[in-house]
């Protein structure tokens, strides 16, 4: 059984296939066709919906609810448990368009209309979460709409609609009913383990790590579902049916983010959006990287633990975490153990997880105050794109500018996220200067033998990796002007076909504290 709010009513589901996406449930079961299917892969945003949940930090000065956008094409029904689902049909009230809808009409933000419901829902979530006195911020709107594609309008009318909304109070029927909604959500908050089954496929929703361990003991081959932004593709793109699903989104322990003796501990089921907020203090470059991780809808659902467990060689977070010397706590019914993140990846899509084991938390230790910590993501588009190469570097020098610690981690260069250990060994104990960096660049050829694919050729990847190391040195020792620094990179013109080497951070890392 799962329970959620929709149309002001509590919906209870029992005998339903847990492989069903929220999009299909709305369109095919409830006949709510306002939400569109464009890609079924979380790329276009036409299916965007909004979830309202109880604000875990609620007090008198904060709203009782938080609103997040999701891709309903990737969201499986178990993920709705205990939440309010808001569709485009819910916005109109008393025969009046919602202010977001009216702004889109007034500013001519829709043409063919297919993508419009998703754009409206993204603007709605931004409208609801913004403070009443928040001025128009184009960058914030770009982040909110980064996962919504439109082939017709050229986007400017949509931005005009967002600007018009910034002059309005964000009071609407949802605000007026927020206390009642919060009471309803509290009444259906999962407090015990739920399950959902159509007789052939089943899903369990444990509420504690102990229950999760017990389930994995019984069903070691079960698929763990957190955000589902990758797992759901096996259903929507490859038309597979998962026989047993264990949804971990109702386990509060796996969503906690806390400080422990200067170490940032992130629960494996904490979303990328929430992780980015915590990382702003600890590793601002990493937080900025996560702003380029897919779209806001994906970041609102996807988890840091899921991105690691997926073990993709082009996942964005593993190289950044490896450079920061992160570790994992793995847990099973027999106990827990700690593994250095760099040792977690065994081979292509193969990890150190044993049967019945799962990632419980990610631990990012305090960084040396003098550390140079930089991350560079290379992709064909600035936003909502997968990396061709990602380089993450942490360089620590003593007072004589001699390197005493060196971690150079790359994604897209091998079958797993990997450190350049030969290059690191060469640099360790040497002065951080141009001559040594130029010599180290050549050694990257001994560390990596990348493959060619549709994202980049092997030659391109090697050249980029070399240039990013030099870029790191330039930016850490010279002007922080990116235009000036980029001219020093060998064959920088080769970056042009891939929309240049996007720098996600130019300053040394900030050290977090336990407060």
């Amino acid at each position: 059984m799962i329970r959620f709010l929709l149309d002001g009513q509590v919906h209870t589901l029992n005998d339903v296939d847990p492989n069903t996406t929220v999009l299909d449930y709305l369109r095919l079961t409830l006949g709510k066709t306002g939400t569109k299917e464009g890609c079924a892969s979380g790329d276009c945003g036409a299916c965007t919906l909004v979830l309202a949940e109880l604000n875990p930090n609620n007090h008198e000065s904060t709203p009782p609810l938080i609103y997040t956008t999701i891709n309903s094409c990737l969201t499986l029904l178990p993920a709705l448990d205990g939440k309010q689902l808001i569709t485009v049909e819910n916005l109109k009230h008393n025969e009046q368009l919602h202010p977001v809808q009216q702004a889109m009409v007034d500013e001519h933000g829709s043409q063919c209309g297919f993508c419009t419901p998703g754009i409206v829902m993204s603007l709605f979530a931004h409208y609801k979460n913004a403070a009443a006195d928040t001025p128009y911020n184009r960058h914030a709107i770009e982040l909110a709409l980064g996962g919504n594609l439109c082939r017709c309008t050229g986007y400017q009318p949509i931005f005009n609609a967002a600007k018009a909304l910034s002059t309005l109070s964000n009071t609407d029927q949802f605000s007026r009913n927020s206390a009642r909604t919060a009471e309803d959500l509290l009444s259906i908050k999962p407090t015990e383990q739920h399950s959902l089954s159509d007789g052939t496929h089943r899903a369990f929703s444990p509420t504690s790590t102990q229950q999760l361990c017990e389930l994995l003991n019984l069903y070691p081959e079960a698929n763990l579902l957190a955000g589902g932004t990758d797992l759901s593709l096996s259903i929507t793109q490859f038309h597979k049916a998962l026989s047993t699903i264990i949804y971990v989104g109702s386990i509060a322990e796996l969503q906690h983010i806390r400080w422990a003796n200067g170490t940032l501990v992130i629960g494996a089921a904490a979303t990328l959006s929430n992780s980015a907020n915590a990382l702003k203090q600890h590793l601002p470059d990493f937080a900025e990287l996560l702003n380029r991780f897919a779209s806001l809808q994906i970041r609102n659902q996807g988890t840091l633990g899921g991105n690691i467990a997926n073990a993709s060689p082009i996942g964005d977070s593993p190289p950044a975490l490896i450079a920061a010397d992160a570790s994992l706590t793995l847990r099973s019914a027999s106990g827990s153990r700690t593994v250095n993140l760099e040792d977690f990846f065994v081979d292509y899509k193969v990890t150190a997880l044993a049967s019945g084991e799962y990632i419980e938390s990610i631990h990012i230790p305090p960084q040396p105050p003098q550390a140079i910590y930089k991350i560079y993501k290379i992709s064909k588009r600035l936003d909502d794109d997968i990396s061709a190469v990602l380089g993450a570097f942490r360089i620590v020098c003593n007072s004589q500018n001699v390197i005493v610690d060196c971690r150079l981690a790359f994604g897209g260069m091998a079958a797993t996220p990997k450190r350049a250990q030969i290059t690191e060994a060469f640099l360790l104990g040497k002065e951080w200067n141009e001559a040594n960096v130029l010599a180290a660049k050549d050694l990257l050829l001994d560390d990596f033998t990348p493959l060619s694919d549709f994202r980049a050729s092997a030659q391109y990847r090697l050249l980029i990796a070399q240039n990013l190391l030099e870029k790191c040195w330039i930016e850490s020792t010279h002007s922080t002007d990116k235009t000036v620094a980029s001219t020093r990179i060998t064959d920088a013109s080769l970056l042009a076909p891939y929309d240049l080497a996007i720098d996600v951070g130019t300053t040394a890392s900030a050290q977090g504290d336990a407060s």
Side-chain angles (χ1 to χ4, degrees):
M1 175 189 72
I2 66 168
R3 295 182 296 172
F4 61 94
L5 297 182
L6 176 63
D7 301 331
Q9 303 293 323
V10 175
H11 283 240
T12 302
L13 301 181
N14 288 295
D15 305 324
V16 181
D17 183 357
N19 289 276
T20 305
T21 65
V22 172
L23 176 63
D24 282 349
Y25 179 73
L26 287 174
R27 293 182 60 85
L28 304 179
T29 302
L30 300 184
K32 291 180 173 291
T33 55
T35 306
K36 310 303 181 187
E37 178 177 318
C39 66
S41 60
D43 289 323
C44 72
C47 71
T48 300
L49 296 176
V50 171
L51 293 180
E53 301 176 66
L54 292 169
N55 188 341
N57 301 313
N58 183 36
H59 48 78
E60 289 185 1
S61 62
T62 60
L65 304 175
I66 54 174
Y67 297 83
T68 54
T69 51
I70 63 166
N71 292 119
S72 60
C73 71
L74 296 181
T75 307
L76 302 184
L77 287 178
L80 294 182
D81 202 12
K83 303 178 179 69
Q84 181 188 27
L85 178 62
I86 302 173
T87 73
V88 71
E89 289 94 342
N90 299 135
L91 300 192
K92 187 177 179 181
H93 184 63
N94 291 337
E95 300 304 315
Q96 295 292 320
L97 293 179
H98 189 275
V100 173
Q101 294 170 310
Q102 191 62 56
M104 285 285 285
V105 171
D106 294 342
E107 300 297 336
H108 310 287
S110 175
Q111 288 190 27
C112 83
F114 191 84
C115 64
T116 303
I119 292 171
V120 166
M121 297 311 294
S122 288
L123 287 177
F124 167 75
H126 182 75
Y127 169 83
K128 293 303 298 175
N129 289 325
D133 58 351
T134 300
Y136 173 72
N137 183 318
R138 185 178 176 96
H139 179 62
I141 298 299
E142 288 172 349
L143 290 176
L145 293 173
N148 294 87
L149 303 183
C150 178
R151 294 292 299 272
C152 300
T153 66
Y155 297 101
Q156 189 56 51
I158 301 169
F159 280 100
N160 292 341
K163 189 171 186 178
L165 284 168
S166 68
T167 65
L168 304 177
S169 166
N170 57 12
T171 300
D172 56 11
Q173 72 268 27
F174 297 94
S175 299
R176 291 188 290 271
N177 295 329
S178 61
R180 171 64 185 275
T181 301
E183 290 178 3
D184 290 341
L185 289 175
L186 191 61
S187 71
I188 64 171
K189 182 179 179 180
T191 57
E192 58 185 27
Q193 182 171 294
H194 289 174
S195 62
L196 191 66
S197 175
D198 64 350
T200 303
H201 312 98
R202 58 197 168 191
F204 300 95
S205 298
T207 58
S208 70
T209 54
Q210 180 180 348
Q211 292 174 351
L212 175 57
C213 289
E214 292 170 354
L215 285 169
L216 284 174
N217 226 18
L218 291 172
Y219 308 102
E221 301 305 317
N223 293 100
L224 290 184
L225 171 66
T229 56
D230 186 75
L231 179 64
S232 297
L233 294 176
S234 62
I235 299 170
T236 63
Q237 300 294 300
F238 299 101
H239 308 290
K240 296 179 180 178
L242 308 178
S243 60
T244 304
I245 298 170
I246 302 177
Y247 174 62
V248 300
S250 296
I251 304 176
E253 301 145 88
L254 294 184
Q255 300 178 58
H256 289 166
I257 300 175
R258 59 187 174 86
W259 294 96
N261 299 320
T263 294
L264 181 61
V265 182
I266 300 177
T271 66
L272 293 165
S273 292
N274 289 338
S275 299
N277 290 332
L279 284 162
K280 286 178 182 178
Q281 179 185 6
H282 200 50
L283 291 173
D285 287 18
F286 193 178
E288 187 61 30
L289 168 69
L290 291 183
N291 279 335
R292 293 188 56 215
F293 190 112
S295 64
L296 181 59
Q297 292 94 318
I298 296 294
R299 296 192 295 274
N300 286 339
Q301 291 178 276
T303 64
L304 196 58
N307 191 236
I308 294 168
N310 184 42
S312 169
I314 51 174
D316 284 352
S317 69
L321 288 166
I322 290 171
D325 197 17
S327 61
L328 305 175
T329 295
L330 309 182
R331 184 174 177 182
S332 67
S334 60
S336 63
R337 62 188 176 111
T338 300
V339 175
N340 289 331
L341 181 58
E342 61 191 277
D343 299 326
F344 179 74
F345 305 104
V346 177
D347 203 344
Y348 177 72
K349 289 285 190 174
V350 178
T351 71
L353 280 173
S355 178
E357 199 171 42
Y358 64 93
I359 301 174
E360 184 177 52
S361 55
I362 301 99
H363 300 250
I364 308 174
Q367 304 299 300
Q370 72 274 28
I372 299 164
Y373 182 82
K374 292 181 177 293
I375 307 171
Y376 306 97
K377 175 174 179 174
I378 309 301
S379 56
K380 293 185 179 182
R381 297 192 307 266
L382 176 62
D383 293 314
D384 201 7
D385 200 6
I386 296 173
S387 297
V389 175
L390 191 142
F393 311 125
R394 190 183 78 177
I395 308 292
V396 182
C397 298
N398 63 17
S399 57
Q400 285 75 46
N401 200 35
V402 173
I403 300 170
V404 295
D405 184 44
C406 180
R407 300 179 70 89
L408 314 176
F410 288 90
M413 296 292 289
T416 64
K418 184 181 175 185
R419 289 175 65 179
Q421 293 181 331
I422 296 174
T423 308
E424 289 177 358
F426 170 80
L427 286 172
L428 200 61
K430 291 184 172 60
E431 187 176 350
W432 180 237
N433 61 29
E434 184 173 24
N436 287 328
V437 169
L438 293 179
K441 286 173 58 177
D442 293 335
L443 293 176
L444 288 173
L445 301 176
D446 298 324
D447 272 307
F448 299 108
T449 307
L451 298 176
S452 295
D453 58 22
F454 65 93
R455 289 192 178 88
S457 67
Q459 179 187 10
Y460 179 85
R461 285 189 161 110
L462 281 169
L463 180 59
I464 286 297
Q466 292 175 313
N467 288 346
L468 291 183
L469 179 58
E470 186 176 356
K471 181 178 174 70
C472 176
W473 173 77
I474 292 169
E475 292 186 353
S476 67
T477 57
H478 292 67
S479 167
T480 57
D481 186 318
K482 297 177 187 178
T483 303
V484 173
S486 295
T487 62
R488 296 289 306 279
I489 297 178
T490 307
D491 293 329
S493 62
L494 290 178
L495 295 176
Y498 285 83
D499 198 18
L500 74 104
I502 302 299
D503 177 4
V504 300
T506 59
T507 60
S509 65
Q511 182 175 357
D513 58 42
S515 62

